[in-house]
Amino acid sequence: MKTSSYTAIAYLFLAPALILMGVFTFWPVGYNAYLAFNDYSIADATATWNNFAHFKYLYGEELFHDALKNSLLFLLVVPVIQVAALLVAKLVNNKLPGMTFFRAAFYIPVITAISIAGIVWLNVYKYDGILTWFLQSLGLIEEQINWLGEPEIAIYMVMVFTFWKGIGYYMVLYLAGLQSIPTEVEEAAVLDGANAWQRFWKITVPMVKPTILLCTLLSTIAALKAFQEVVVLTRGQADTYTALYYVYAQAFTNFNFGRAAAAGLVVTFFCVLLAIVQFRFFGEKK
Amino acid sequence: MSKSFTRALELTGQYAGLIAFTIFTTFPFIWATSVAISADPGNIWLFPGAFLPTDPSLVWFKRVITDIPFKDYLLNSTIISFWTIFFTVVISVMAGYPLARLRFPGRGLIFIGIIATMMLPSEVAIIPNFVTLKHIGDFFEATIGYKLIGLNTFPGVFLPGVAGAFGIFLMKQAFEQIPQDLIDAARVDGAKELQILWRVMVPVSAPSIAALAIFTLVNAWNEFIWSGIVLTSRDKYPLAVGMFNDLTGPFAVSTSMVMAGIVLSVLPVLIFFALTQRYFISGLDGAVK
């Protein structure tokens, strides 16, 4: 009797969460898969089976291939942001004055809305923007460069923005990892005459290895899913389509929900694959 | 080379690195501020000159407030964020309690189901949720003659996100740490489950609830893509959408105004961050979810 009364209460408490997740999280998985195999008409909300037409189209379309390529290229951010975040975390992880200020300064881009931060960077990257002026005054370039308009460099400029926006987030994760290293270990190494470089590679890196793995996987998934920075900075111009930007643009500029869903399914497949790897590594530890 | 000399060298290097990196992360905002408070826009594209305000004044801020419905956007952001926090906390607390403290059939399965949603890229739900909201809106229109939930409504913006694995997981963990004696004592006193949750669990878990509320606020306040898709009328836009559309659209020609708009948009977040920063950057909190 006791258990059954708990069962009713438990499901009553869980009901709001389960209903909302059912409608807005689980249903979309199935519905997205369904849309991917249909032509969807927004006007009269009807879907018609189209015999894999979307997938055939995606298989042959250059824009989608370029988008996938750019998403893979975006993985370049991962090692750079991880090494930099670990170094920065190491620098702010001590009892010297001013560390709270520096941590806060590095975290500000993380808590700024991507759209608002993006507007400033649009002005930094303009052909007569502050980046051009900065490099000109150093004598490194002569021409004015439209940083987000040149297909060869635009995607890398978007990556720099991603790096700027995200480094504080990973810094905090590394900080948590660093704080679990007992100070005695480092002190002993100092006594043994190890220099900062040796201490970093021989002590810090091995001891935060679990955090490094976690952050690498998180940022790998984030890099494959990158698209908000493209929405804000380039709207896909100058060869900057990423996989999810393709989904977004197909859905809300082209209004082809079916094709967007099919492309989304391809992205989901890769993300779930990576997430499974992540859970294999960290499942027990959570 | 003496030991103290090496130490001084190390310290100098460390601070030099920190300052260089601070310049990298903050220069866009410093530049924006400097341009925004310069009445004269003549210097804003010159390299070192742009970082020092010329002829300081608040004239561009006044222009932003009179020409752009900044206050409406601010109010919309506040309303959306408030309801997002309210529902996220209530739903996560209610769902976290039975998962942490009650034995019932299906518990394991439900928990795995909730955790599994963390693997899915939430972006892929955008299209189905758009379609679902359109239907829900049509349904309300047909039955009660008023679009309570649907496209271009505030609930349409916040409802899809309020039941999430992160919040439920956070509250479950918080409730698991409460001693069983406390609950047993309340049961002996004849408390119902809802009373136990409200009178015992919630007060004791206040720090976790505060953390959840703060993270939810920042996410809701900064959310940009989904709000931009669901909301179609300008008077409903939150800051992140409204300011972006205005400052990259009709007002993009005046860089001074753009920068003043940015400073005004970032300011509320910065003030909030200054008050709550230990939740974000102490490093020891459950940052690793």
Side-chain angles (χ1 to χ4, degrees), chain A residues 76-148:
Chain A
L76 279 176
V77 175
V78 177
V80 179
I81 205 169
Q82 294 311 315
V83 171
L86 180 54
L87 279 172
V88 170
K90 183 84 184 133
L91 283 178
V92 294
N93 183 38
N94 55 43
K95 298 259 180 312
L96 294 170
M99 288 309 140
T100 318
F101 165 79
F102 287 119
R103 287 183 199 180
F106 302 159
Y107 202 76
I108 286 172
V110 180
I111 51 149
T112 317
I114 193 163
S115 55
I116 304 294
I119 305 171
V120 194
W121 279 87
L122 278 174
N123 286 289
V124 171
Y125 281 151
K126 260 182 150 145
Y127 67 96
D128 59 350
I130 209 78
L131 181 62
T132 295
W133 284 103
F134 173 65
L135 294 175
Q136 275 181 338
S137 67
L138 289 179
L140 290 174
I141 55 167
E142 307 212 325
E143 310 272 290
Q144 293 189 330
I145 298 175
N146 184 4
W147 298 95
L148 291 173

Coordinates of all heavy atoms in Angstrom, one line a residue, chain A residues 76-148:
Chain A
L76 N 39.3 22.7 -35.7 CA 40.6 23.4 -35.4 C 40.6 24.2 -34.1 O 41.6 24.4 -33.5 CB 41.0 24.3 -36.6 CG 41.6 23.7 -37.8 CD1 41.9 24.7 -38.9 CD2 43.0 23.0 -37.4
V77 N 39.4 24.7 -33.8 CA 39.2 25.5 -32.6 C 39.6 24.7 -31.4 O 40.1 25.2 -30.4 CB 37.8 26.1 -32.5 CG1 37.6 26.8 -31.2 CG2 37.5 27.0 -33.7
V78 N 39.2 23.4 -31.4 CA 39.3 22.5 -30.2 C 40.7 22.5 -29.6 O 40.8 22.9 -28.4 CB 38.8 21.1 -30.5 CG1 38.9 20.2 -29.3 CG2 37.3 21.1 -31.0
P79 N 41.7 22.1 -30.3 CA 43.0 22.1 -29.6 C 43.5 23.4 -29.2 O 44.0 23.6 -28.1 CB 44.0 21.5 -30.7 CG 43.3 21.6 -32.0 CD 41.8 21.6 -31.7
V80 N 43.2 24.5 -30.0 CA 43.7 25.8 -29.6 C 43.0 26.3 -28.4 O 43.7 26.8 -27.4 CB 43.4 26.8 -30.8 CG1 43.9 28.2 -30.4 CG2 44.1 26.3 -32.1
I81 N 41.7 26.1 -28.3 CA 41.0 26.7 -27.1 C 41.3 25.8 -25.9 O 41.4 26.4 -24.8 CB 39.5 26.7 -27.4 CG1 38.8 27.7 -26.6 CG2 38.8 25.3 -27.2 CD1 37.3 28.0 -26.9
Q82 N 41.6 24.5 -26.1 CA 41.9 23.7 -24.9 C 43.2 24.1 -24.3 O 43.4 24.2 -23.1 CB 41.8 22.2 -25.2 CG 40.4 21.7 -25.6 CD 39.4 22.1 -24.6 OE1 39.6 22.1 -23.4 NE2 38.3 22.6 -25.1
V83 N 44.3 24.2 -25.2 CA 45.6 24.5 -24.7 C 45.6 25.9 -24.0 O 46.1 26.1 -22.9 CB 46.6 24.5 -25.8 CG1 48.0 25.0 -25.3 CG2 46.8 23.0 -26.3
A84 N 44.9 26.9 -24.7 CA 44.9 28.2 -24.2 C 44.1 28.3 -22.8 O 44.5 28.9 -21.9 CB 44.2 29.2 -25.2
A85 N 43.0 27.6 -22.8 CA 42.2 27.6 -21.5 C 42.9 27.0 -20.4 O 42.9 27.5 -19.3 CB 40.9 26.8 -21.8
L86 N 43.6 25.9 -20.6 CA 44.4 25.3 -19.6 C 45.5 26.2 -19.1 O 45.7 26.4 -17.9 CB 45.0 23.9 -20.0 CG 45.8 23.2 -19.0 CD1 45.0 22.9 -17.7 CD2 46.3 21.8 -19.6
L87 N 46.2 26.8 -20.0 CA 47.3 27.8 -19.7 C 46.7 29.0 -18.8 O 47.3 29.3 -17.8 CB 48.0 28.3 -20.9 CG 49.0 27.4 -21.5 CD1 49.5 28.0 -22.9 CD2 50.2 27.3 -20.6
V88 N 45.6 29.5 -19.3 CA 45.0 30.6 -18.6 C 44.5 30.2 -17.2 O 44.7 30.9 -16.2 CB 43.9 31.2 -19.4 CG1 43.1 32.2 -18.6 CG2 44.4 31.9 -20.7
A89 N 43.9 29.0 -17.1 CA 43.5 28.5 -15.8 C 44.6 28.4 -14.9 O 44.6 28.8 -13.7 CB 42.7 27.2 -16.0
K90 N 45.7 27.9 -15.4 CA 46.9 27.7 -14.6 C 47.4 29.1 -14.1 O 47.8 29.2 -12.9 CB 48.0 27.1 -15.5 CG 49.3 26.8 -14.8 CD 49.3 25.5 -14.1 CE 50.6 25.2 -13.4 NZ 50.4 24.8 -12.0
L91 N 47.4 30.1 -15.0 CA 47.8 31.5 -14.6 C 46.9 32.1 -13.5 O 47.4 32.8 -12.6 CB 47.8 32.4 -15.8 CG 49.0 32.2 -16.8 CD1 48.8 33.2 -17.9 CD2 50.3 32.5 -16.1
V92 N 45.6 31.8 -13.5 CA 44.8 32.5 -12.5 C 44.5 31.6 -11.3 O 43.9 32.0 -10.3 CB 43.4 32.9 -13.1 CG1 43.5 33.9 -14.2 CG2 42.6 31.7 -13.6
N93 N 45.1 30.4 -11.3 CA 44.9 29.5 -10.2 C 46.0 29.7 -9.1 O 46.9 28.8 -9.0 CB 44.8 28.1 -10.6 CG 44.6 27.1 -9.5 OD1 43.8 27.5 -8.6 ND2 45.2 26.0 -9.5
N94 N 46.0 30.8 -8.5 CA 47.0 31.0 -7.4 C 46.4 32.1 -6.4 O 45.4 32.7 -6.7 CB 48.4 31.3 -7.9 CG 48.4 32.5 -8.8 OD1 47.8 33.5 -8.5 ND2 49.1 32.3 -9.9
K95 N 47.2 32.3 -5.4 CA 46.7 33.2 -4.4 C 47.2 34.7 -4.5 O 47.2 35.5 -3.6 CB 47.0 32.7 -3.0 CG 46.4 31.4 -2.6 CD 45.2 31.6 -1.7 CE 44.5 30.3 -1.4 NZ 44.2 29.3 -2.4
L96 N 47.7 35.0 -5.7 CA 48.2 36.3 -5.9 C 47.1 37.4 -6.0 O 46.0 37.0 -6.3 CB 49.0 36.4 -7.2 CG 50.3 35.5 -7.2 CD1 50.9 35.4 -8.6 CD2 51.3 36.1 -6.3
P97 N 47.4 38.6 -5.8 CA 46.3 39.7 -5.8 C 45.8 39.8 -7.3 O 46.6 39.7 -8.2 CB 47.0 40.9 -5.3 CG 48.5 40.7 -5.4 CD 48.7 39.2 -5.2
G98 N 44.5 40.2 -7.4 CA 44.0 40.5 -8.7 C 43.4 39.3 -9.5 O 42.9 39.5 -10.6
M99 N 43.5 38.1 -8.9 CA 43.1 36.9 -9.7 C 41.6 36.9 -10.0 O 41.1 36.5 -11.0 CB 43.5 35.6 -9.0 CG 45.0 35.4 -9.1 SD 45.6 35.5 -10.7 CE 47.2 36.4 -10.4
T100 N 40.8 37.4 -9.0 CA 39.3 37.4 -9.2 C 39.0 38.3 -10.4 O 38.2 38.0 -11.2 CB 38.6 37.9 -7.9 OG1 39.2 37.3 -6.8 CG2 37.2 37.6 -8.0
F101 N 39.7 39.4 -10.4 CA 39.5 40.4 -11.5 C 39.8 39.7 -12.9 O 39.0 39.8 -13.8 CB 40.4 41.6 -11.4 CG 40.5 42.5 -12.6 CD1 39.5 43.3 -12.9 CD2 41.6 42.4 -13.4 CE1 39.5 44.1 -14.1 CE2 41.7 43.1 -14.6 CZ 40.6 44.0 -14.9
F102 N 41.0 39.0 -13.0 CA 41.3 38.4 -14.2 C 40.4 37.3 -14.6 O 40.0 37.2 -15.8 CB 42.8 37.8 -14.2 CG 43.8 38.9 -14.2 CD1 44.7 39.1 -13.1 CD2 43.9 39.8 -15.2 CE1 45.7 40.0 -13.1 CE2 44.9 40.8 -15.2 CZ 45.8 40.9 -14.2
R103 N 40.0 36.5 -13.7 CA 39.0 35.4 -14.0 C 37.7 36.1 -14.5 O 37.1 35.6 -15.5 CB 38.6 34.7 -12.7 CG 39.7 33.7 -12.3 CD 39.2 33.0 -11.0 NE 40.3 32.4 -10.3 CZ 40.2 31.7 -9.2 NH1 39.0 31.5 -8.7 NH2 41.2 31.2 -8.6
A104 N 37.3 37.1 -13.9 CA 36.0 37.8 -14.3 C 36.2 38.4 -15.7 O 35.3 38.2 -16.6 CB 35.6 38.9 -13.3
A105 N 37.4 39.0 -16.0 CA 37.6 39.6 -17.3 C 37.6 38.5 -18.4 O 37.1 38.7 -19.5 CB 39.0 40.3 -17.3
F106 N 38.1 37.3 -18.1 CA 38.1 36.2 -19.1 C 36.7 35.6 -19.3 O 36.5 35.0 -20.3 CB 39.1 35.1 -18.7 CG 40.5 35.6 -18.5 CD1 41.4 34.9 -17.8 CD2 40.9 36.8 -19.1 CE1 42.7 35.4 -17.6 CE2 42.2 37.3 -18.9 CZ 43.1 36.6 -18.2
Y107 N 35.9 35.8 -18.2 CA 34.6 35.2 -18.3 C 33.5 36.1 -18.9 O 32.5 35.6 -19.4 CB 34.1 34.7 -16.9 CG 33.1 33.6 -16.9 CD1 33.5 32.3 -17.2 CD2 31.8 33.9 -16.7 CE1 32.6 31.3 -17.2 CE2 30.8 32.9 -16.7 CZ 31.3 31.6 -17.0 OH 30.3 30.6 -17.0
I108 N 33.8 37.4 -19.0 CA 32.8 38.3 -19.5 C 32.2 37.9 -20.9 O 31.0 37.9 -21.1 CB 33.3 39.7 -19.5 CG1 33.3 40.2 -18.1 CG2 32.5 40.7 -20.4 CD1 34.0 41.6 -17.9
P109 N 33.1 37.5 -21.9 CA 32.5 37.1 -23.2 C 31.6 35.9 -23.1 O 30.6 35.8 -23.9 CB 33.8 36.7 -24.0 CG 34.9 37.4 -23.4 CD 34.6 37.5 -21.9
V110 N 31.8 35.0 -22.1 CA 30.9 33.9 -22.0 C 29.5 34.3 -21.6 O 28.5 33.8 -22.1 CB 31.4 32.9 -20.9 CG1 30.5 31.7 -20.8 CG2 32.8 32.5 -21.3
I111 N 29.4 35.3 -20.7 CA 28.0 35.7 -20.2 C 27.4 36.8 -21.1 O 26.3 37.2 -20.8 CB 28.0 36.1 -18.8 CG1 29.1 37.2 -18.5 CG2 28.2 35.0 -17.8 CD1 28.7 38.2 -17.5
T112 N 28.1 37.2 -22.1 CA 27.5 38.2 -23.0 C 26.6 37.4 -24.1 O 27.1 36.4 -24.6 CB 28.6 39.0 -23.7 OG1 29.5 39.3 -22.8 CG2 28.0 40.2 -24.3
A113 N 25.5 38.0 -24.4 CA 24.7 37.4 -25.5 C 25.5 37.3 -26.8 O 26.2 38.3 -27.1 CB 23.4 38.2 -25.7
I114 N 25.4 36.2 -27.5 CA 26.2 36.1 -28.7 C 25.9 37.1 -29.8 O 26.7 37.6 -30.5 CB 26.1 34.6 -29.3 CG1 27.2 34.4 -30.3 CG2 24.7 34.4 -29.9 CD1 27.4 32.9 -30.6
S115 N 24.6 37.5 -29.8 CA 24.2 38.5 -30.8 C 24.8 39.9 -30.5 O 25.3 40.6 -31.4 CB 22.7 38.6 -30.8 OG 22.1 38.9 -29.5
I116 N 24.8 40.2 -29.2 CA 25.4 41.5 -28.8 C 26.9 41.6 -29.0 O 27.4 42.5 -29.6 CB 25.0 41.9 -27.3 CG1 23.5 41.8 -27.1 CG2 25.6 43.2 -26.9 CD1 22.7 42.8 -27.8
A117 N 27.6 40.5 -28.6 CA 29.0 40.4 -28.8 C 29.3 40.4 -30.3 O 30.3 41.0 -30.7 CB 29.6 39.1 -28.1
G118 N 28.5 39.7 -31.1 CA 28.7 39.7 -32.5 C 28.7 41.0 -33.2 O 29.4 41.3 -34.1
I119 N 27.8 41.9 -32.7 CA 27.8 43.3 -33.3 C 29.1 44.0 -33.2 O 29.6 44.6 -34.1 CB 26.6 44.1 -32.7 CG1 25.3 43.4 -32.8 CG2 26.5 45.4 -33.5 CD1 24.2 44.1 -32.0
V120 N 29.7 43.9 -31.9 CA 31.0 44.6 -31.8 C 32.0 44.0 -32.7 O 32.8 44.7 -33.4 CB 31.5 44.4 -30.3 CG1 32.7 45.4 -30.1 CG2 30.4 44.6 -29.3
W121 N 32.0 42.6 -32.8 CA 33.0 42.0 -33.7 C 32.8 42.3 -35.1 O 33.7 42.3 -35.9 CB 33.0 40.5 -33.4 CG 33.9 40.2 -32.2 CD1 33.5 40.2 -30.9 CD2 35.3 39.9 -32.2 NE1 34.5 39.9 -30.1 CE2 35.6 39.7 -30.8 CE3 36.3 39.8 -33.1 CZ2 37.0 39.4 -30.4 CZ3 37.6 39.5 -32.8 CH2 37.9 39.3 -31.4
L122 N 31.5 42.5 -35.5 CA 31.3 42.9 -36.9 C 32.0 44.2 -37.2 O 32.6 44.4 -38.3 CB 29.8 43.2 -37.1 CG 28.9 42.0 -37.4 CD1 27.4 42.4 -37.4 CD2 29.3 41.3 -38.7
N123 N 32.1 45.1 -36.2 CA 32.8 46.3 -36.4 C 34.3 46.2 -36.3 O 35.1 46.9 -36.9 CB 32.3 47.4 -35.4 CG 30.9 47.9 -35.8 OD1 30.8 48.6 -36.7 ND2 29.9 47.5 -35.1
V124 N 34.7 45.2 -35.5 CA 36.2 44.9 -35.4 C 36.6 44.4 -36.8 O 37.7 44.7 -37.2 CB 36.4 43.8 -34.3 CG1 37.9 43.3 -34.4 CG2 36.1 44.4 -32.9
Y125 N 35.8 43.6 -37.4 CA 36.2 42.9 -38.6 C 35.9 43.6 -39.9 O 36.3 43.2 -41.0 CB 35.5 41.5 -38.7 CG 36.0 40.4 -37.9 CD1 35.2 39.4 -37.4 CD2 37.4 40.4 -37.6 CE1 35.7 38.4 -36.6 CE2 37.9 39.3 -36.8 CZ 37.1 38.3 -36.4 OH 37.6 37.3 -35.6
K126 N 35.2 44.8 -39.8 CA 34.9 45.6 -41.0 C 36.2 45.9 -41.8 O 37.3 46.0 -41.2 CB 34.3 46.9 -40.6 CG 32.8 47.0 -40.7 CD 32.5 48.4 -40.3 CE 31.4 49.1 -40.8 NZ 30.8 50.0 -39.8
Y127 N 36.1 46.2 -43.1 CA 37.3 46.4 -43.8 C 38.1 47.7 -43.3 O 39.3 47.7 -43.3 CB 37.0 46.6 -45.4 CG 36.2 47.8 -45.7 CD1 36.9 48.9 -46.1 CD2 34.9 47.8 -45.6 CE1 36.2 50.1 -46.4 CE2 34.1 48.9 -45.9 CZ 34.8 50.1 -46.3 OH 34.1 51.2 -46.6
D128 N 37.3 48.6 -42.8 CA 38.0 49.8 -42.2 C 37.9 49.7 -40.6 O 37.8 50.7 -40.0 CB 37.6 51.1 -42.7 CG 36.1 51.3 -42.5 OD1 35.4 50.3 -42.1 OD2 35.6 52.4 -42.7
G129 N 37.7 48.5 -40.1 CA 37.5 48.3 -38.7 C 38.7 48.4 -37.9 O 39.8 48.6 -38.4
I130 N 38.6 48.1 -36.6 CA 39.7 48.3 -35.7 C 40.8 47.2 -35.9 O 42.0 47.5 -35.7 CB 39.2 48.2 -34.2 CG1 40.1 49.1 -33.3 CG2 39.1 46.8 -33.6 CD1 39.8 50.6 -33.4
L131 N 40.5 46.0 -36.4 CA 41.5 45.1 -36.6 C 42.5 45.5 -37.8 O 43.7 45.4 -37.7 CB 40.9 43.7 -37.0 CG 41.9 42.6 -37.2 CD1 42.8 42.3 -36.0 CD2 41.2 41.3 -37.7
T132 N 41.8 46.0 -38.9 CA 42.6 46.5 -40.0 C 43.5 47.7 -39.5 O 44.8 47.7 -39.7 CB 41.7 47.1 -41.1 OG1 41.0 45.9 -41.6 CG2 42.5 47.7 -42.2
W133 N 43.0 48.6 -38.7 CA 43.7 49.7 -38.2 C 44.9 49.3 -37.3 O 46.0 49.8 -37.4 CB 42.9 50.7 -37.5 CG 42.0 51.6 -38.4 CD1 40.7 51.4 -38.7 CD2 42.5 52.7 -39.2 NE1 40.3 52.3 -39.6 CE2 41.3 53.1 -39.9 CE3 43.7 53.3 -39.4 CZ2 41.4 54.2 -40.8 CZ3 43.8 54.4 -40.3 CH2 42.6 54.8 -41.0
F134 N 44.6 48.3 -36.5 CA 45.6 47.8 -35.5 C 46.8 47.2 -36.3 O 47.9 47.6 -36.1 CB 44.9 46.8 -34.6 CG 45.9 46.1 -33.7 CD1 46.6 46.8 -32.7 CD2 46.1 44.7 -33.9 CE1 47.5 46.1 -31.9 CE2 47.0 44.0 -33.0 CZ 47.7 44.7 -32.0
L135 N 46.5 46.3 -37.3 CA 47.6 45.7 -38.0 C 48.3 46.7 -38.9 O 49.5 46.6 -39.1 CB 47.0 44.5 -38.8 CG 46.4 43.4 -38.0 CD1 45.8 42.3 -38.9 CD2 47.5 42.8 -37.2
Q136 N 47.6 47.7 -39.4 CA 48.2 48.7 -40.2 C 49.2 49.6 -39.4 O 50.3 49.9 -39.8 CB 47.2 49.6 -40.9 CG 46.6 49.1 -42.2 CD 45.6 50.0 -42.8 OE1 45.0 50.8 -42.1 NE2 45.4 49.8 -44.1
S137 N 48.7 49.9 -38.2 CA 49.6 50.7 -37.3 C 50.8 50.0 -36.9 O 51.8 50.6 -36.5 CB 48.8 51.3 -36.1 OG 48.5 50.2 -35.3
L138 N 50.7 48.6 -36.9 CA 51.9 47.8 -36.6 C 52.8 47.6 -37.8 O 53.8 47.0 -37.8 CB 51.5 46.5 -36.0 CG 50.9 46.4 -34.6 CD1 50.6 45.0 -34.2 CD2 51.9 47.0 -33.6
G139 N 52.2 48.0 -39.0 CA 53.0 47.8 -40.2 C 52.9 46.4 -40.8 O 53.7 46.0 -41.6
L140 N 52.0 45.6 -40.3 CA 51.9 44.2 -40.7 C 51.1 44.1 -42.1 O 51.4 43.2 -42.8 CB 51.2 43.3 -39.7 CG 52.1 43.1 -38.4 CD1 51.2 42.4 -37.4 CD2 53.3 42.3 -38.7
I141 N 50.1 44.9 -42.3 CA 49.4 44.9 -43.5 C 49.3 46.3 -44.1 O 49.5 47.3 -43.4 CB 48.0 44.3 -43.4 CG1 47.2 45.1 -42.3 CG2 48.0 42.9 -43.1 CD1 45.7 44.9 -42.3
E142 N 49.1 46.4 -45.4 CA 49.0 47.7 -46.0 C 47.5 48.0 -46.5 O 47.0 49.0 -46.3 CB 49.9 47.8 -47.2 CG 51.3 47.5 -46.8 CD 52.4 48.2 -47.5 OE1 52.1 48.5 -48.7 OE2 53.4 48.6 -47.0
E143 N 46.9 46.9 -47.1 CA 45.6 47.1 -47.6 C 44.6 47.1 -46.5 O 44.8 46.6 -45.4 CB 45.3 45.9 -48.6 CG 46.3 45.6 -49.6 CD 46.1 46.4 -50.8 OE1 45.1 46.1 -51.5 OE2 46.8 47.4 -51.1
Q144 N 43.4 47.6 -46.8 CA 42.3 47.4 -45.9 C 41.7 46.0 -46.2 O 41.4 45.7 -47.4 CB 41.2 48.5 -46.0 CG 41.8 49.8 -45.6 CD 40.7 50.8 -45.5 OE1 39.7 50.8 -46.3 NE2 40.8 51.8 -44.6
I145 N 41.4 45.2 -45.2 CA 40.9 43.8 -45.5 C 39.5 43.7 -44.9 O 39.3 44.1 -43.8 CB 41.8 42.8 -44.9 CG1 43.2 42.8 -45.5 CG2 41.2 41.4 -45.1 CD1 44.2 41.9 -44.9
N146 N 38.6 43.2 -45.7 CA 37.2 42.9 -45.3 C 37.3 41.5 -44.7 O 37.1 40.5 -45.4 CB 36.2 43.0 -46.4 CG 34.8 42.8 -45.9 OD1 34.6 42.6 -44.7 ND2 33.9 42.7 -46.9
W147 N 37.5 41.4 -43.4 CA 37.9 40.1 -42.7 C 36.8 39.1 -42.9 O 37.1 37.9 -42.9 CB 38.2 40.3 -41.3 CG 39.4 41.2 -41.1 CD1 39.4 42.6 -40.9 CD2 40.8 40.8 -41.2 NE1 40.7 43.1 -40.9 CE2 41.6 42.0 -41.0 CE3 41.4 39.6 -41.4 CZ2 42.9 42.0 -41.0 CZ3 42.8 39.6 -41.4 CH2 43.6 40.8 -41.2
L148 N 35.5 39.5 -42.9 CA 34.4 38.5 -43.0 C 33.9 38.4 -44.4 O 33.0 37.6 -44.7 CB 33.3 39.0 -42.1 CG 33.6 38.9 -40.6 CD1 32.4 39.5 -39.8 CD2 33.8 37.4 -40.2

